[in-house]
Amino acid sequence: MSSLYEKIGGEGAVNAAVDIFYRKVLKDDRIKHFFDGVDMAKQAAKQKAFLTVAFGGPNKYSGEDMRKGHAHLVKNGLNDSHFDAVMEHLGATLKELNVPADLIGQAAAVAESTRNDVLGK
Amino acid sequence: MLDCLTAHGVSIPSSCHAGICQTCLMQAISGNIPATAQPGLKNTLVAQNYFLACSFHPQEDVQIRLPMTGLGKLSATVAEIDFLNTQIVRLKLALNTKFNYKAGQFINLFKDNATSRAYSLASVPGIDDQLQFHIRKLPDGLVSHWVHHDLKVGDNVDISDASGDCFYVPDMPDQKLLLIATGTGLAPLYGIVRDALFQGHSGTIKLYHGSNSPDLVYLSEELKSLALQFDHFNYTPCISGKTVPQGFAAGRAQEVAFKENQDLSGWRVFLCGHPKMVSTGKKLAFLAGASTGNIYADPFVLVPRSASKTISA
């Protein structure tokens, strides 16, 4: 049986998704201020890493990494509403790429599982 | 490679260990790097033999280093210094040995062993025999002051190897190119434009150069005649100050450029000059449709007089 990552389309799918997804995030008034002053190219690599995680792809990020990586944002007010906004863009991106609904649901569930670590709960 | 380094007590920055985050970026000085060790790397990094340590399984001997370390120093002779306007000089250096660089990269120019500044190359290998730099005199600039007042034709100076990822790679000759510069950010783009034309780039090339006032504009006549010579090259000098003479666009270069080019899907974008222009320009180019892999930038960060080691361009 092939994995979620393979079913969605592996690295090719991540590459197709990353610009669409990141553009949605940067245009969203609810969350775009969290990206002020960050380097675009480095951030795009991180967005790619996030999508790889969500697609069930290879990664070595631990819950602790997620906590550390977002701690400064939590301090600046990162909360559930912002996480919800990102989840919304993840779903919309996959839909735009014609990923079947059941796979979108599985990817969303993987991303959802990082919520508490990202928000430092 | 990453596991081997770690096992031998050599610790380098790393994060995902899966060829995604690009934290363990390294550069090969000799030896072959397979494409599998360069997943997702920008073409300018591939062109300089960069690779990801976590994705590299060497089959033969290679010499490697961390990015930006081990820069060599070499001696050059001042061949020419002339004023491009009241504040900017063009410095031309001659070298006895072959110097490998790409138009748009930068070097460190040493005033003495302790004081150096980074300057972008405006010259093009294959077109220009000498290295060329555009150096603006800064109020507190140790090195720029020295270049403007003390340096003479025939003097010997030390420079570093060239580095930087903002240059032209001839992998898509029909791609549209948008280049935006402020101030002496024109230097690398003047090199990149001529390099692209020299290498037969056939897609539209649009250059916008921003200055505060008309007296700070430079190389304008030369760029205008280049635009007459090449139909697909377009040059727009912009003035952000109040007095805007005929032949110039009114407004900041990036405002004019993004207004005139609203859909940048599929474009390649180069941004050089003021750090704020570069960082907002990157975002605006991306939001206008350019993909992150197609955005090349070189922010010119100034060095405070108290700092001794920081690099500026």
Side-chain angles (χ1 to χ4, degrees):
Chain A
M1 204 186 94
S2 59
S3 67
L4 172 65
Y5 187 62
E6 286 162 3
K7 280 189 211 154
I8 289 184
E11 201 193 333
V14 174
N15 287 337
V18 67
D19 275 0
I20 299 172
F21 171 72
Y22 191 25
R23 212 169 269 130
K24 286 182 193 298
V25 167
L26 283 181
K27 281 184 182 171
D28 186 338
D29 287 332
R30 294 171 295 178
I31 50 177
K32 67 178 184 191
H33 58 281
F34 288 112
F35 299 90
D36 284 350
V38 302
D39 181 80
M40 282 269 316
K42 283 183 190 159
Q43 188 54 224
K46 285 181 187 164
Q47 301 294 348
K48 192 175 165 183
F50 167 70
L51 291 175
T52 305
V53 173
F55 292 8
N59 82 90
K60 295 216 170 157
Y61 287 105
S62 64
E64 200 50 41
D65 290 335
M66 292 283 183
R67 278 174 193 273
K68 269 193 210 152
H70 294 88
H72 65 293
L73 298 174
V74 173
K75 231 185 219 168
N76 285 326
L78 186 77
N79 62 36
D80 280 302
S81 73
H82 305 121
F83 194 93
D84 292 342
V86 171
M87 290 296 294
E88 210 177 292
H89 296 311
L90 174 66
T93 300
L94 293 174
K95 211 170 162 189
E96 217 171 298
L97 292 169
N98 297 316
V99 174
D102 60 319
L103 295 183
I104 297 180
Q106 288 179 46
V110 178
E112 186 60 51
S113 72
T114 67
R115 181 186 290 261
N116 286 348
D117 284 325
V118 167
L119 296 178
K121 289 192 200 171
Chain B
M1 177 65 75
L2 182 59
D3 289 345
C4 174
L5 288 171
T6 310
H8 287 83
V10 180
S11 170
I12 68 156
S14 70
S15 183
C16 79
H17 296 221
I20 297 155
C21 73
Q22 303 189 3
T23 307
C24 63
L25 188 69
M26 295 189 83
Q27 187 179 22
I29 310 164
S30 68
N32 293 312
I33 303 297
T36 51
Q38 300 170 314
L41 289 192
K42 211 179 185 118
N43 55 5
T44 47
L45 294 176
V46 171
Q48 299 173 86
N49 296 317
Y50 279 85
F51 64 91
L52 300 179
C54 72
S55 306
F56 184 27
H57 303 272
Q59 306 292 324
E60 56 181 272
D61 285 347
V62 284
Q63 255 188 306
I64 58 165
R65 67 180 181 193
L66 284 169
M68 290 296 293
T69 57
L71 289 177
K73 229 192 217 186
L74 59 165
S75 179
T77 309
V78 176
E80 201 180 317
I81 307 180
D82 63 328
F83 277 86
L84 293 169
N85 62 30
T86 55
Q87 294 188 23
I88 299 167
V89 294
R90 173 165 49 192
L91 170 66
K92 289 186 179 174
L93 298 179
L95 287 149
N96 291 326
T97 47
K98 186 167 162 43
F99 186 72
N100 283 317
Y101 74 100
K102 315 259 190 215
Q105 285 192 306
F106 58 86
I107 54 101
N108 280 299
L109 174 64
F110 289 84
K111 174 175 174 280
D112 49 57
N113 278 334
T115 320
S116 72
R117 294 291 183 269
Y119 291 104
S120 289
L121 286 144
S123 47
V124 182
I127 299 181
D128 304 305
D129 293 332
Q130 295 160 338
L131 306 181
Q132 184 188 136
F133 309 91
H134 303 158
I135 300 178
R136 182 176 178 185
K137 188 174 160 184
L138 297 165
D140 269 334
L142 286 174
V143 177
S144 66
H145 198 273
W146 166 70
V147 171
H148 276 247
H149 295 283
D150 303 330
L151 212 52
K152 287 183 290 295
V153 171
D155 286 353
N156 287 322
V157 293
D158 284 342
I159 60 170
S160 73
D161 288 336
S163 55
D165 313 321
C166 185
F167 56 84
Y168 174 76
V169 179
D171 52 355
M172 288 180 74
D174 53 357
Q175 194 173 28
K176 290 177 180 168
L177 309 185
L178 175 65
L179 307 99
I180 308 173
T182 57
T184 50
L186 181 61
L189 298 191
Y190 172 71
I192 289 167
V193 163
R194 292 184 305 132
D195 191 24
L197 291 170
F198 177 69
Q199 299 205 46
H201 192 86
S202 57
T204 303
I205 303 175
K206 288 183 157 190
L207 170 67
Y208 293 81
H209 179 220
S211 307
N212 293 330
S213 58
D215 60 313
L216 291 176
V217 174
Y218 71 96
L219 289 180
S220 195
E221 292 312 313
E222 191 182 331
L223 286 163
K224 276 180 197 161
S225 64
L226 201 62
L228 287 176
Q229 198 186 332
F230 294 94
D231 280 344
H232 62 302
F233 171 57
N234 195 302
Y235 161 66
T236 311
C238 309
I239 303 288
S240 59
K242 277 180 193 152
T243 321
V244 182
Q246 211 177 353
F248 293 86
R252 291 176 187 276
Q254 62 158 318
E255 288 166 6
V256 177
F258 288 116
K259 200 172 160 194
E260 291 185 359
N261 306 281
Q262 298 198 355
D263 181 5
L264 297 177
S265 318
W267 285 59
R268 188 176 298 192
V269 181
F270 295 87
L271 303 151
C272 297
H274 196 284
K276 200 158 184 194
M277 183 285 281
V278 169
S279 66
T280 54
K282 278 203 248 182
K283 203 172 267 188
L284 290 172
F286 177 66
L287 291 176
S291 74
T292 46
N294 272 319
I295 301 172
Y296 301 77
D298 190 0
F300 285 14
V301 182
L302 296 180
V303 182
R305 190 148 198 167
S306 56
S308 57
K309 259 183 81 184
T310 330
I311 291 172
S312 94

Coordinates of all heavy atoms in Angstrom, one line a residue, chain B residues 186-227:
Chain B
L186 N 23.0 49.4 -9.2 CA 23.1 49.2 -10.7 C 24.3 48.4 -11.1 O 24.3 47.8 -12.2 CB 23.1 50.6 -11.3 CG 23.2 50.7 -12.9 CD1 21.9 50.0 -13.5 CD2 23.3 52.1 -13.4
A187 N 25.4 48.5 -10.3 CA 26.6 47.8 -10.7 C 26.4 46.3 -11.1 O 26.7 45.9 -12.2 CB 27.7 48.0 -9.6
P188 N 25.9 45.5 -10.2 CA 25.7 44.1 -10.5 C 24.7 43.9 -11.7 O 24.9 43.0 -12.5 CB 25.2 43.5 -9.2 CG 24.7 44.6 -8.4 CD 25.5 45.8 -8.7
L189 N 23.7 44.8 -11.7 CA 22.6 44.6 -12.7 C 23.2 45.0 -14.1 O 22.8 44.5 -15.1 CB 21.4 45.3 -12.4 CG 20.7 44.9 -11.1 CD1 19.3 45.5 -11.0 CD2 20.6 43.3 -11.1
Y190 N 24.0 46.0 -14.1 CA 24.7 46.5 -15.4 C 25.5 45.3 -15.9 O 25.6 45.0 -17.1 CB 25.6 47.7 -15.0 CG 26.5 48.2 -16.1 CD1 26.0 48.8 -17.3 CD2 27.9 48.0 -16.0 CE1 26.8 49.3 -18.3 CE2 28.7 48.5 -17.0 CZ 28.2 49.1 -18.1 OH 29.0 49.5 -19.1
G191 N 26.1 44.5 -15.0 CA 26.9 43.3 -15.4 C 25.9 42.2 -15.9 O 26.1 41.6 -16.9
I192 N 24.9 42.0 -15.1 CA 24.0 40.9 -15.4 C 23.3 41.1 -16.7 O 23.1 40.2 -17.6 CB 23.0 40.7 -14.2 CG1 23.7 40.1 -13.0 CG2 21.8 39.8 -14.7 CD1 22.9 40.1 -11.7
V193 N 22.8 42.4 -17.0 CA 22.1 42.7 -18.3 C 23.0 42.4 -19.4 O 22.7 41.7 -20.4 CB 21.7 44.2 -18.3 CG1 21.3 44.6 -19.7 CG2 20.5 44.4 -17.4
R194 N 24.3 42.9 -19.3 CA 25.2 42.7 -20.5 C 25.6 41.2 -20.6 O 25.8 40.7 -21.7 CB 26.4 43.6 -20.3 CG 26.1 45.1 -20.4 CD 27.3 46.0 -20.4 NE 28.0 45.8 -19.1 CZ 29.4 45.6 -19.1 NH1 30.1 45.7 -20.2 NH2 30.0 45.4 -18.0
D195 N 25.7 40.5 -19.5 CA 26.0 39.1 -19.5 C 24.9 38.3 -20.2 O 25.2 37.5 -21.1 CB 26.2 38.6 -18.1 CG 26.8 37.2 -18.0 OD1 27.5 36.8 -19.0 OD2 26.6 36.5 -17.0
A196 N 23.7 38.6 -19.9 CA 22.5 38.0 -20.5 C 22.5 38.2 -22.0 O 22.3 37.3 -22.8 CB 21.2 38.4 -19.8
L197 N 22.7 39.5 -22.4 CA 22.7 39.8 -23.8 C 23.8 39.1 -24.5 O 23.6 38.6 -25.6 CB 22.8 41.3 -24.0 CG 21.6 42.2 -23.6 CD1 21.9 43.7 -23.6 CD2 20.4 41.9 -24.5
F198 N 25.0 39.1 -23.9 CA 26.2 38.5 -24.4 C 26.0 37.0 -24.6 O 26.4 36.4 -25.6 CB 27.4 38.8 -23.5 CG 28.7 38.1 -23.9 CD1 29.4 38.6 -25.0 CD2 29.2 37.1 -23.1 CE1 30.6 38.0 -25.3 CE2 30.4 36.5 -23.5 CZ 31.1 36.9 -24.6
Q199 N 25.3 36.4 -23.7 CA 25.0 34.9 -23.8 C 23.8 34.6 -24.6 O 23.3 33.5 -24.7 CB 24.8 34.3 -22.4 CG 26.1 34.5 -21.5 CD 26.2 33.5 -20.4 OE1 26.0 32.3 -20.6 NE2 26.4 33.9 -19.2
G200 N 23.2 35.6 -25.3 CA 22.2 35.4 -26.3 C 20.8 35.2 -25.7 O 19.9 34.6 -26.3
H201 N 20.6 35.8 -24.5 CA 19.2 35.8 -23.9 C 18.2 36.4 -24.9 O 18.4 37.5 -25.4 CB 19.2 36.5 -22.6 CG 17.9 36.2 -21.8 ND1 17.8 35.1 -21.0 CD2 16.7 36.9 -21.7 CE1 16.6 35.1 -20.5 NE2 15.9 36.2 -20.9
S202 N 17.1 35.7 -25.2 CA 16.2 36.3 -26.2 C 14.9 36.8 -25.6 O 14.2 37.5 -26.3 CB 15.9 35.1 -27.2 OG 15.3 34.0 -26.5
G203 N 14.6 36.5 -24.4 CA 13.4 37.0 -23.7 C 13.5 38.5 -23.4 O 14.7 39.0 -23.4
T204 N 12.4 39.2 -23.2 CA 12.4 40.6 -22.8 C 13.2 40.8 -21.5 O 13.2 40.1 -20.6 CB 11.0 41.1 -22.5 OG1 10.2 40.8 -23.7 CG2 10.9 42.5 -22.2
I205 N 14.1 41.9 -21.6 CA 14.9 42.3 -20.4 C 14.5 43.7 -20.0 O 14.7 44.6 -20.8 CB 16.4 42.2 -20.7 CG1 16.8 40.8 -21.2 CG2 17.2 42.6 -19.5 CD1 18.2 40.7 -21.6
K206 N 14.0 43.9 -18.8 CA 13.5 45.2 -18.4 C 14.3 45.7 -17.2 O 14.3 45.0 -16.1 CB 12.1 45.3 -18.1 CG 11.2 45.2 -19.3 CD 9.7 45.3 -18.8 CE 8.8 45.7 -20.0 NZ 7.5 46.0 -19.5
L207 N 15.1 46.8 -17.3 CA 15.9 47.3 -16.2 C 15.3 48.6 -15.7 O 15.1 49.6 -16.5 CB 17.3 47.5 -16.7 CG 18.3 48.3 -15.8 CD1 18.5 47.5 -14.5 CD2 19.6 48.6 -16.5
Y208 N 15.1 48.7 -14.4 CA 14.6 50.0 -13.8 C 15.7 50.4 -12.8 O 16.1 49.6 -11.9 CB 13.3 49.8 -13.0 CG 12.2 49.4 -13.9 CD1 12.0 48.2 -14.4 CD2 11.2 50.4 -14.3 CE1 10.9 47.9 -15.2 CE2 10.2 50.2 -15.1 CZ 10.0 48.9 -15.6 OH 8.9 48.6 -16.4
H209 N 16.2 51.6 -12.9 CA 17.2 52.1 -12.0 C 16.7 53.4 -11.3 O 16.3 54.4 -11.9 CB 18.5 52.5 -12.7 CG 19.6 53.0 -11.9 ND1 20.4 54.0 -12.2 CD2 19.9 52.6 -10.6 CE1 21.3 54.2 -11.2 NE2 21.0 53.4 -10.2
G210 N 16.7 53.3 -10.0 CA 16.2 54.4 -9.2 C 17.3 55.3 -8.5 O 18.3 54.7 -8.0
S211 N 17.1 56.6 -8.6 CA 18.0 57.5 -7.9 C 17.1 58.6 -7.3 O 16.0 58.8 -7.7 CB 18.9 58.2 -8.9 OG 19.6 57.3 -9.7
N212 N 17.7 59.3 -6.2 CA 16.9 60.3 -5.5 C 16.8 61.5 -6.4 O 15.7 62.2 -6.4 CB 17.6 60.7 -4.2 CG 17.6 59.6 -3.2 OD1 16.7 58.7 -3.2 ND2 18.6 59.5 -2.4
S213 N 17.8 61.9 -7.1 CA 17.8 63.1 -7.9 C 18.5 62.9 -9.2 O 19.4 62.0 -9.3 CB 18.4 64.3 -7.1 OG 19.7 63.9 -6.7
P214 N 18.3 63.7 -10.2 CA 18.9 63.5 -11.5 C 20.4 63.5 -11.5 O 21.0 62.8 -12.3 CB 18.4 64.8 -12.3 CG 17.2 65.2 -11.6 CD 17.3 64.9 -10.2
D215 N 21.1 64.2 -10.6 CA 22.5 64.3 -10.6 C 23.1 63.0 -10.1 O 24.4 62.8 -10.2 CB 23.0 65.5 -9.8 CG 22.6 65.4 -8.3 OD1 21.4 65.2 -8.1 OD2 23.4 65.6 -7.4
L216 N 22.3 62.1 -9.5 CA 22.8 60.8 -9.0 C 22.7 59.7 -10.1 O 23.2 58.6 -9.9 CB 22.1 60.4 -7.7 CG 22.5 61.3 -6.5 CD1 21.6 60.8 -5.3 CD2 23.9 61.2 -6.2
V217 N 22.0 60.0 -11.2 CA 21.8 59.0 -12.2 C 23.2 58.8 -12.9 O 24.0 59.7 -13.0 CB 20.8 59.5 -13.3 CG1 20.8 58.6 -14.5 CG2 19.5 59.7 -12.6
Y218 N 23.5 57.5 -13.3 CA 24.8 57.3 -14.0 C 24.7 56.2 -15.0 O 23.7 55.4 -14.9 CB 25.9 57.1 -13.0 CG 25.9 55.8 -12.3 CD1 26.7 54.7 -12.7 CD2 25.2 55.6 -11.1 CE1 26.7 53.5 -12.0 CE2 25.2 54.4 -10.4 CZ 26.0 53.3 -10.9 OH 26.0 52.1 -10.2
L219 N 25.6 56.2 -16.0 CA 25.6 55.3 -17.1 C 24.3 55.3 -17.9 O 24.0 54.4 -18.7 CB 25.8 53.8 -16.6 CG 27.2 53.5 -16.1 CD1 27.3 52.1 -15.6 CD2 28.3 53.8 -17.1
S220 N 23.6 56.4 -17.8 CA 22.3 56.5 -18.4 C 22.4 56.5 -20.0 O 21.6 55.8 -20.7 CB 21.6 57.8 -18.0 OG 20.2 57.7 -18.3
E221 N 23.4 57.3 -20.5 CA 23.5 57.4 -22.0 C 23.9 56.0 -22.5 O 23.4 55.6 -23.6 CB 24.6 58.4 -22.3 CG 24.1 59.9 -22.0 CD 22.7 60.1 -22.6 OE1 22.4 59.8 -23.7 OE2 21.9 60.7 -21.8
E222 N 24.8 55.3 -21.8 CA 25.3 54.0 -22.3 C 24.1 53.0 -22.3 O 24.0 52.2 -23.2 CB 26.4 53.5 -21.4 CG 27.1 52.3 -22.0 CD 28.2 51.8 -21.1 OE1 28.8 52.6 -20.4 OE2 28.5 50.6 -21.2
L223 N 23.3 53.0 -21.3 CA 22.2 52.1 -21.2 C 21.1 52.4 -22.2 O 20.5 51.5 -22.8 CB 21.6 52.1 -19.8 CG 22.5 51.3 -18.7 CD1 22.1 51.7 -17.3 CD2 22.5 49.8 -19.0
K224 N 20.9 53.7 -22.5 CA 20.0 54.1 -23.5 C 20.4 53.6 -24.9 O 19.6 53.1 -25.7 CB 19.8 55.6 -23.6 CG 18.8 56.2 -22.6 CD 18.7 57.7 -22.7 CE 18.0 58.2 -21.4 NZ 18.3 59.7 -21.3
S225 N 21.7 53.7 -25.2 CA 22.2 53.2 -26.5 C 22.2 51.7 -26.6 O 21.9 51.1 -27.6 CB 23.6 53.8 -26.8 OG 24.5 53.3 -25.9
L226 N 22.4 51.0 -25.4 CA 22.2 49.6 -25.4 C 20.8 49.2 -25.7 O 20.5 48.2 -26.4 CB 22.6 49.0 -24.0 CG 23.1 47.6 -23.9 CD1 24.3 47.3 -24.7 CD2 23.3 47.2 -22.4
A227 N 19.8 50.0 -25.2 CA 18.4 49.7 -25.4 C 18.1 49.9 -26.9 O 17.2 49.2 -27.5 CB 17.5 50.5 -24.5

